Coordinates of all heavy atoms in Angstrom, one line a residue:
M1 N 161.9 -9.3 228.7 CA 163.1 -9.1 228.1 C 163.9 -7.9 228.7 O 163.3 -6.9 229.1 CB 163.0 -8.8 226.6 CG 162.3 -9.8 225.7 SD 163.0 -11.4 225.8 CE 161.6 -12.3 226.0
S2 N 165.2 -8.1 228.7 CA 166.0 -6.9 229.2 C 166.2 -6.0 228.0 O 166.2 -6.4 226.9 CB 167.3 -7.4 229.8 OG 168.0 -8.1 228.8
S3 N 166.5 -4.7 228.4 CA 166.7 -3.8 227.3 C 168.1 -3.9 226.8 O 169.0 -4.3 227.5 CB 166.4 -2.4 227.8 OG 167.3 -2.1 228.9
T4 N 168.3 -3.5 225.5 CA 169.6 -3.6 224.9 C 170.5 -2.5 225.4 O 170.0 -1.4 225.6 CB 169.4 -3.5 223.4 OG1 168.6 -4.5 222.9 CG2 170.8 -3.5 222.7
T5 N 171.7 -2.8 225.7 CA 172.6 -1.8 226.2 C 173.1 -0.8 225.2 O 173.3 -1.2 224.0 CB 173.9 -2.5 226.8 OG1 173.4 -3.5 227.7 CG2 174.8 -1.6 227.5
V6 N 173.2 0.5 225.5 CA 173.7 1.5 224.6 C 174.8 2.2 225.3 O 175.0 2.2 226.5 CB 172.6 2.5 224.2 CG1 171.5 1.9 223.4 CG2 172.0 3.2 225.5
D7 N 175.7 2.7 224.4 CA 176.9 3.5 225.0 C 176.5 4.9 225.2 O 175.4 5.3 225.0 CB 178.1 3.3 224.1 CG 178.0 3.9 222.7 OD1 177.0 4.7 222.5 OD2 178.8 3.7 221.8
K8 N 177.5 5.8 225.6 CA 177.2 7.2 225.9 C 176.7 8.0 224.7 O 176.1 9.0 224.8 CB 178.5 7.8 226.5 CG 179.6 7.9 225.5 CD 180.8 8.5 226.2 CE 182.0 8.6 225.2 NZ 183.2 9.2 225.8
N9 N 177.0 7.5 223.5 CA 176.5 8.1 222.2 C 175.2 7.5 221.8 O 174.8 7.7 220.6 CB 177.6 8.0 221.1 CG 178.8 8.8 221.5 OD1 178.8 9.9 222.1 ND2 180.0 8.2 221.2
N10 N 174.6 6.8 222.6 CA 173.3 6.1 222.3 C 173.4 5.1 221.2 O 172.5 4.9 220.4 CB 172.2 7.1 222.0 CG 170.8 6.6 222.4 OD1 170.7 5.7 223.3 ND2 169.8 7.0 221.8
Q11 N 174.6 4.5 221.0 CA 174.9 3.5 220.0 C 174.6 2.2 220.6 O 175.0 1.9 221.7 CB 176.3 3.6 219.4 CG 176.7 4.9 218.7 CD 175.9 5.0 217.4 OE1 175.8 4.1 216.6 NE2 175.3 6.2 217.2
R12 N 173.9 1.3 219.8 CA 173.5 0.0 220.3 C 174.8 -0.9 220.4 O 175.5 -1.0 219.5 CB 172.5 -0.6 219.4 CG 172.0 -1.9 219.8 CD 170.9 -2.3 218.8 NE 170.3 -3.5 219.3 CZ 169.0 -3.8 219.1 NH1 168.3 -3.0 218.3 NH2 168.5 -4.9 219.6
L13 N 174.9 -1.5 221.6 CA 176.0 -2.4 221.8 C 175.5 -3.9 221.5 O 174.3 -4.1 221.3 CB 176.6 -2.3 223.2 CG 177.1 -1.0 223.6 CD1 177.5 -1.0 225.0 CD2 178.3 -0.5 222.7
A14 N 176.4 -4.8 221.5 CA 176.0 -6.2 221.2 C 175.0 -6.6 222.2 O 175.0 -6.3 223.4 CB 177.3 -7.1 221.3
M15 N 174.1 -7.4 221.7 CA 173.1 -8.0 222.6 C 173.4 -9.5 222.7 O 174.0 -10.1 221.8 CB 171.7 -7.8 222.0 CG 171.4 -8.4 220.7 SD 169.6 -8.0 220.3 CE 169.6 -8.6 218.6
K16 N 172.9 -10.1 223.7 CA 173.1 -11.5 224.0 C 171.8 -12.3 223.9 O 170.8 -11.9 224.5 CB 173.8 -11.7 225.4 CG 174.1 -13.2 225.6 CD 175.0 -13.3 226.9 CE 176.3 -12.7 226.6 NZ 177.3 -13.0 227.5
I17 N 171.9 -13.3 223.1 CA 170.7 -14.3 223.0 C 171.2 -15.7 223.3 O 172.4 -15.9 223.4 CB 170.0 -14.2 221.6 CG1 171.0 -14.7 220.5 CG2 169.5 -12.8 221.3 CD1 170.3 -14.9 219.2
T18 N 170.3 -16.6 223.5 CA 170.7 -18.0 223.7 C 170.1 -18.8 222.6 O 169.0 -18.7 222.2 CB 170.1 -18.5 225.1 OG1 170.6 -17.6 226.1 CG2 170.5 -19.9 225.3
I19 N 171.0 -19.5 221.9 CA 170.6 -20.4 220.8 C 170.9 -21.8 221.2 O 172.1 -22.2 221.5 CB 171.4 -20.1 219.5 CG1 171.2 -18.6 219.1 CG2 171.0 -21.0 218.4 CD1 172.1 -18.1 218.0
N20 N 169.9 -22.6 221.3 CA 170.0 -24.0 221.6 C 170.8 -24.2 222.9 O 171.7 -25.1 223.0 CB 170.6 -24.9 220.5 CG 169.7 -25.0 219.3 OD1 168.5 -24.6 219.4 ND2 170.2 -25.4 218.2
G21 N 170.6 -23.3 223.9 CA 171.2 -23.4 225.2 C 172.6 -22.8 225.3 O 173.2 -22.8 226.4
K22 N 173.1 -22.2 224.2 CA 174.4 -21.6 224.3 C 174.3 -20.1 224.0 O 173.6 -19.6 223.1 CB 175.3 -22.2 223.2 CG 175.6 -23.6 223.4 CD 176.5 -24.2 222.4 CE 176.8 -25.7 222.6 NZ 177.6 -26.3 221.6
D23 N 175.0 -19.3 224.9 CA 175.0 -17.8 224.7 C 175.7 -17.4 223.4 O 176.7 -18.0 223.0 CB 175.7 -17.2 225.9 CG 174.9 -17.2 227.2 OD1 173.6 -17.5 227.1 OD2 175.4 -17.0 228.2
Q24 N 175.1 -16.4 222.8 CA 175.6 -15.9 221.5 C 175.4 -14.4 221.5 O 174.4 -13.9 221.8 CB 174.8 -16.5 220.3 CG 175.2 -16.0 219.0 CD 176.3 -16.7 218.4 OE1 176.6 -17.9 218.7 NE2 177.1 -16.1 217.6
D25 N 176.5 -13.7 221.1 CA 176.5 -12.2 221.0 C 176.1 -11.9 219.6 O 176.7 -12.4 218.6 CB 177.8 -11.6 221.4 CG 178.1 -11.7 222.9 OD1 177.1 -11.6 223.7 OD2 179.3 -11.9 223.3
L26 N 175.2 -10.9 219.4 CA 174.9 -10.3 218.1 C 175.3 -8.9 218.1 O 175.0 -8.1 219.1 CB 173.4 -10.4 217.8 CG 172.8 -11.8 217.7 CD1 171.3 -11.8 217.5 CD2 173.5 -12.6 216.7
D27 N 176.0 -8.4 217.1 CA 176.4 -7.0 217.0 C 175.3 -6.1 216.5 O 175.5 -4.9 216.7 CB 177.6 -6.9 216.0 CG 178.8 -7.6 216.6 OD1 179.0 -7.7 217.8 OD2 179.7 -8.1 215.8
A28 N 174.3 -6.6 215.9 CA 173.3 -5.7 215.3 C 172.0 -6.4 215.4 O 171.8 -7.6 215.7 CB 173.6 -5.5 213.8
P29 N 170.9 -5.6 215.3 CA 169.6 -6.1 215.3 C 169.4 -7.2 214.3 O 170.1 -7.1 213.2 CB 168.7 -5.0 215.0 CG 169.5 -3.8 215.3 CD 170.9 -4.1 215.1
A30 N 168.7 -8.2 214.5 CA 168.6 -9.3 213.6 C 167.2 -9.9 213.7 O 166.5 -10.0 214.7 CB 169.6 -10.4 213.9
S31 N 166.7 -10.4 212.5 CA 165.5 -11.2 212.5 C 165.9 -12.7 212.5 O 167.1 -13.1 212.4 CB 164.7 -10.9 211.2 OG 165.5 -11.4 210.1
I32 N 164.9 -13.5 212.7 CA 165.1 -15.0 212.6 C 165.7 -15.3 211.3 O 166.6 -16.1 211.2 CB 163.9 -15.8 212.9 CG1 163.4 -15.5 214.4 CG2 164.0 -17.3 212.6 CD1 164.3 -16.1 215.4
T33 N 165.2 -14.7 210.2 CA 165.7 -15.0 208.9 C 167.2 -14.7 208.7 O 168.0 -15.5 208.2 CB 164.9 -14.2 207.8 OG1 163.5 -14.5 207.9 CG2 165.4 -14.4 206.4
S34 N 167.6 -13.5 209.2 CA 169.0 -13.2 209.1 C 169.9 -14.1 210.1 O 171.0 -14.4 209.7 CB 169.3 -11.7 209.4 OG 168.9 -11.4 210.7
L35 N 169.3 -14.5 211.2 CA 170.1 -15.4 212.1 C 170.3 -16.7 211.4 O 171.4 -17.3 211.4 CB 169.3 -15.6 213.4 CG 169.9 -16.6 214.4 CD1 171.3 -16.1 214.9 CD2 169.0 -16.8 215.5
L36 N 169.2 -17.3 210.8 CA 169.4 -18.5 210.1 C 170.4 -18.4 208.9 O 171.2 -19.4 208.7 CB 168.0 -19.0 209.5 CG 167.0 -19.4 210.6 CD1 165.6 -19.7 209.9 CD2 167.5 -20.6 211.4
A37 N 170.4 -17.3 208.2 CA 171.4 -17.1 207.2 C 172.8 -17.1 207.7 O 173.7 -17.7 207.2 CB 171.1 -15.8 206.4
T38 N 173.0 -16.4 208.9 CA 174.3 -16.3 209.5 C 174.8 -17.7 210.0 O 176.0 -18.0 209.9 CB 174.2 -15.4 210.7 OG1 173.9 -14.1 210.3 CG2 175.5 -15.3 211.5
L39 N 173.9 -18.5 210.4 CA 174.2 -19.9 210.9 C 174.3 -20.9 209.7 O 174.5 -22.1 210.0 CB 173.2 -20.3 211.9 CG 173.1 -19.5 213.2 CD1 171.9 -20.0 214.0 CD2 174.4 -19.6 214.0
G40 N 174.1 -20.5 208.5 CA 174.1 -21.4 207.3 C 172.9 -22.3 207.2 O 173.0 -23.3 206.6
L41 N 171.8 -21.8 207.8 CA 170.6 -22.7 207.8 C 169.4 -22.1 207.0 O 168.3 -22.5 207.1 CB 170.1 -22.9 209.3 CG 171.1 -23.6 210.2 CD1 170.6 -23.5 211.6 CD2 171.2 -25.0 209.7
A42 N 169.7 -21.0 206.2 CA 168.7 -20.3 205.5 C 167.9 -21.2 204.5 O 166.7 -21.0 204.4 CB 169.3 -19.2 204.7
D43 N 168.5 -22.2 203.9 CA 167.9 -23.0 202.9 C 167.6 -24.4 203.5 O 167.3 -25.3 202.7 CB 168.7 -23.1 201.7 CG 168.9 -21.8 201.0 OD1 167.9 -21.0 201.0 OD2 169.9 -21.5 200.4
K44 N 167.7 -24.6 204.8 CA 167.5 -25.9 205.4 C 166.1 -25.9 206.0 O 165.6 -24.9 206.5 CB 168.5 -26.1 206.5 CG 170.0 -25.9 206.0 CD 170.4 -27.1 205.2 CE 171.9 -26.8 204.9 NZ 172.4 -27.6 203.8
P45 N 165.5 -27.1 206.0 CA 164.2 -27.3 206.7 C 164.5 -27.3 208.2 O 165.1 -28.2 208.8 CB 163.7 -28.6 206.2 CG 164.9 -29.4 205.8 CD 165.9 -28.4 205.4
V46 N 164.0 -26.2 208.9 CA 164.1 -26.1 210.3 C 162.8 -25.7 211.0 O 161.9 -25.2 210.4 CB 165.2 -25.1 210.7 CG1 166.6 -25.5 210.2 CG2 164.9 -23.7 210.2
V47 N 162.7 -26.0 212.3 CA 161.7 -25.5 213.1 C 162.4 -24.6 214.1 O 163.4 -24.9 214.7 CB 161.0 -26.7 213.9 CG1 160.0 -26.1 214.9 CG2 160.3 -27.6 213.0
V48 N 161.8 -23.4 214.3 CA 162.3 -22.4 215.2 C 161.3 -22.0 216.3 O 160.2 -21.8 216.0 CB 162.7 -21.1 214.4 CG1 163.3 -20.0 215.4 CG2 163.7 -21.4 213.3
E49 N 161.9 -22.0 217.5 CA 161.1 -21.6 218.6 C 161.7 -20.4 219.2 O 163.0 -20.4 219.5 CB 161.1 -22.8 219.7 CG 160.2 -22.6 220.8 CD 160.2 -23.8 221.7 OE1 159.5 -24.8 221.5 OE2 161.0 -23.8 222.7
L50 N 161.0 -19.3 219.4 CA 161.5 -18.1 220.0 C 160.8 -17.9 221.3 O 159.5 -17.7 221.4 CB 161.2 -16.9 219.0 CG 161.6 -15.5 219.5 CD1 163.1 -15.4 219.8 CD2 161.2 -14.5 218.5
N51 N 161.6 -17.9 222.4 CA 161.0 -17.7 223.7 C 159.9 -18.7 224.0 O 158.8 -18.3 224.5 CB 160.6 -16.3 224.0 CG 161.8 -15.3 223.9 OD1 162.9 -15.6 224.3 ND2 161.6 -14.2 223.3
K52 N 160.1 -19.9 223.7 CA 159.2 -21.1 223.9 C 157.9 -21.0 223.1 O 157.0 -21.7 223.4 CB 158.9 -21.2 225.4 CG 160.1 -21.4 226.2 CD 159.9 -21.7 227.6 CE 161.2 -21.7 228.4 NZ 161.4 -22.8 229.2
K53 N 157.9 -20.2 222.0 CA 156.8 -20.2 221.1 C 157.3 -20.6 219.7 O 158.2 -20.0 219.1 CB 156.2 -18.8 221.0 CG 155.1 -18.6 220.0 CD 154.7 -17.2 219.8 CE 153.6 -17.1 218.8 NZ 154.0 -16.4 217.6
A54 N 156.7 -21.7 219.2 CA 157.0 -22.1 217.8 C 156.6 -21.1 216.8 O 155.5 -20.5 216.9 CB 156.4 -23.5 217.5
L55 N 157.4 -20.8 215.8 CA 157.1 -19.8 214.8 C 156.8 -20.5 213.5 O 157.4 -21.6 213.2 CB 158.3 -18.9 214.6 CG 158.8 -18.1 215.7 CD1 160.1 -17.3 215.4 CD2 157.7 -17.1 216.2
F56 N 155.9 -19.9 212.7 CA 155.7 -20.4 211.4 C 156.8 -19.8 210.5 O 157.3 -18.7 210.8 CB 154.3 -19.9 210.8 CG 153.1 -20.5 211.4 CD1 152.4 -19.9 212.4 CD2 152.8 -21.8 211.0 CE1 151.3 -20.5 213.0 CE2 151.7 -22.4 211.6 CZ 150.9 -21.8 212.5
P57 N 157.2 -20.4 209.4 CA 158.3 -19.9 208.6 C 157.9 -18.5 208.1 O 158.8 -17.6 207.9 CB 158.4 -20.9 207.4 CG 158.0 -22.2 208.1 CD 156.9 -21.8 209.1
R58 N 156.6 -18.2 207.9 CA 156.3 -16.8 207.4 C 156.5 -15.8 208.5 O 156.5 -14.6 208.2 CB 154.8 -16.8 207.0 CG 153.8 -17.1 208.1 CD 152.4 -17.0 207.7 NE 151.4 -17.3 208.7 CZ 150.8 -18.4 208.9 NH1 151.0 -19.4 208.0 NH2 150.0 -18.6 209.9
E59 N 156.7 -16.2 209.7 CA 157.0 -15.2 210.8 C 158.5 -14.9 211.0 O 158.9 -14.0 211.7 CB 156.5 -15.8 212.1 CG 155.0 -15.9 212.2 CD 154.5 -16.5 213.4 OE1 154.9 -17.7 213.7 OE2 153.8 -15.9 214.2
Y60 N 159.4 -15.7 210.3 CA 160.8 -15.5 210.5 C 161.3 -14.1 210.2 O 162.1 -13.5 210.9 CB 161.6 -16.5 209.7 CG 161.4 -18.0 210.0 CD1 162.0 -19.0 209.3 CD2 160.7 -18.4 211.1 CE1 161.9 -20.3 209.6 CE2 160.6 -19.7 211.5 CZ 161.2 -20.7 210.7 OH 161.0 -22.0 211.0
T61 N 160.9 -13.5 209.1 CA 161.3 -12.2 208.7 C 160.9 -11.1 209.7 O 161.6 -10.2 210.0 CB 160.9 -11.8 207.3 OG1 161.4 -12.8 206.4 CG2 161.4 -10.5 206.8
S62 N 159.6 -11.2 210.2 CA 159.1 -10.2 211.0 C 159.5 -10.4 212.5 O 159.2 -9.5 213.3 CB 157.6 -10.1 210.9 OG 157.0 -11.3 211.3
S63 N 160.0 -11.5 212.9 CA 160.4 -11.8 214.3 C 161.8 -11.2 214.5 O 162.8 -11.8 214.2 CB 160.4 -13.3 214.6 OG 159.0 -13.8 214.4
Q64 N 161.8 -10.1 215.2 CA 163.1 -9.4 215.5 C 163.6 -9.9 216.9 O 162.9 -10.0 217.8 CB 162.9 -7.9 215.5 CG 162.6 -7.3 214.2 CD 163.7 -7.5 213.2 OE1 164.9 -7.2 213.5 NE2 163.4 -8.0 212.0
L65 N 164.9 -10.2 216.9 CA 165.5 -10.7 218.1 C 165.8 -9.5 219.1 O 166.2 -8.4 218.6 CB 166.8 -11.5 217.8 CG 166.6 -12.8 217.0 CD1 167.9 -13.3 216.5 CD2 165.9 -13.8 217.9
E66 N 165.7 -9.8 220.3 CA 165.9 -8.8 221.4 C 166.9 -9.4 222.4 O 167.0 -10.6 222.5 CB 164.6 -8.4 222.1 CG 163.6 -7.7 221.2 CD 162.4 -7.3 221.9 OE1 162.4 -7.3 223.1 OE2 161.4 -7.1 221.2
D67 N 167.6 -8.5 223.1 CA 168.5 -8.9 224.1 C 167.8 -9.9 225.1 O 166.7 -9.6 225.6 CB 169.0 -7.7 224.9 CG 170.2 -8.0 225.7 OD1 171.1 -8.7 225.3 OD2 170.3 -7.5 226.9
G68 N 168.5 -11.0 225.3 CA 167.9 -12.0 226.3 C 167.0 -13.0 225.7 O 166.6 -13.9 226.4
D69 N 166.7 -12.9 224.4 CA 165.8 -13.9 223.8 C 166.4 -15.3 223.8 O 167.7 -15.5 223.8 CB 165.5 -13.5 222.3 CG 164.4 -12.5 222.2 OD1 163.7 -12.2 223.1 OD2 164.3 -12.0 221.0
Q70 N 165.6 -16.3 223.8 CA 166.0 -17.7 223.8 C 165.4 -18.3 222.5 O 164.2 -18.2 222.2 CB 165.4 -18.5 225.0 CG 166.0 -18.0 226.3 CD 165.6 -18.9 227.4 OE1 164.7 -19.8 227.3 NE2 166.1 -18.6 228.6
V71 N 166.3 -18.8 221.7 CA 166.0 -19.4 220.4 C 166.4 -20.9 220.4 O 167.5 -21.2 220.8 CB 166.8 -18.7 219.2 CG1 166.4 -19.3 217.9 CG2 166.5 -17.2 219.3
E72 N 165.5 -21.7 219.9 CA 165.7 -23.1 219.7 C 165.6 -23.4 218.2 O 164.5 -23.0 217.7 CB 164.8 -24.0 220.5 CG 165.0 -23.9 222.0 CD 166.3 -24.5 222.6 OE1 166.8 -25.4 222.0 OE2 166.8 -23.9 223.5
I73 N 166.6 -24.0 217.6 CA 166.5 -24.3 216.2 C 166.7 -25.8 216.1 O 167.7 -26.4 216.5 CB 167.6 -23.6 215.4 CG1 167.5 -22.1 215.6 CG2 167.5 -24.0 213.9 CD1 168.6 -21.3 215.1
I74 N 165.7 -26.4 215.4 CA 165.7 -27.9 215.2 C 165.7 -28.2 213.7 O 164.8 -27.8 213.0 CB 164.5 -28.6 215.9 CG1 164.5 -28.3 217.4 CG2 164.5 -30.1 215.6 CD1 163.2 -28.4 218.0
A75 N 166.8 -28.8 213.3 CA 166.9 -29.2 211.8 C 166.0 -30.4 211.6 O 166.0 -31.4 212.4 CB 168.3 -29.5 211.5
I76 N 165.3 -30.4 210.5 CA 164.4 -31.5 210.1 C 165.2 -32.4 209.2 O 165.7 -31.9 208.2 CB 163.1 -31.0 209.5 CG1 162.4 -30.1 210.5 CG2 162.3 -32.2 209.0 CD1 161.2 -29.4 209.9
A77 N 165.3 -33.7 209.5 CA 166.0 -34.6 208.7 C 165.1 -35.7 208.3 O 164.4 -36.3 209.1 CB 167.2 -35.2 209.4
A78 N 165.1 -36.0 207.0 CA 164.2 -37.1 206.5 C 165.1 -38.4 206.2 O 166.3 -38.2 206.0 CB 163.5 -36.7 205.2
G79 N 164.5 -39.5 206.3 CA 165.3 -40.7 206.0 C 164.8 -41.9 206.7 O 163.8 -41.8 207.5
G80 N 165.4 -43.0 206.5 CA 164.9 -44.2 207.1 C 165.9 -45.0 207.9 O 166.9 -44.7 208.2

């Protein structure tokens, strides 16, 4: 992973991650849980892969995003 950029006052600047193949800037540190909430997916059944590793839902809160991370989010849909 690349390190997060800081300004001359050592303040963290936006970091860039990739979500489902599209670049996304984040202004603050975020967990998978907060990212899902931001995307409106907090209460949806989803599978999340972080840097090509599938996560268990119990790992979402403790998985902190870093600059350059790649996230894949797959919504689970039931039906016939």
Side-chain angles (χ1 to χ4, degrees):
M1 298 303 134
S2 59
S3 61
T4 301
T5 307
V6 295
D7 67 13
K8 64 182 180 180
N9 297 318
N10 210 30
Q11 296 292 314
R12 187 177 187 148
L13 300 176
M15 63 179 170
K16 185 170 287 197
I17 64 170
T18 303
I19 303 172
N20 293 348
K22 296 181 182 178
D23 289 342
Q24 177 82 33
D25 290 322
L26 297 179
D27 292 329
S31 66
I32 294 295
T33 299
S34 63
L35 176 65
L36 292 174
T38 299
L39 297 173
L41 298 171
D43 296 324
K44 308 286 185 199
V46 295
V47 173
V48 177
E49 190 177 271
L50 177 59
N51 298 321
K52 303 188 184 230
K53 178 188 174 244
L55 300 176
F56 289 103
R58 65 178 177 259
E59 297 175 297
Y60 293 174
T61 301
S62 63
S63 296
Q64 294 296 310
L65 295 166
E66 297 180 17
D67 192 43
D69 278 349
Q70 294 183 358
V71 180
E72 295 292 326
I73 303 170
I74 301 160
I76 300 170

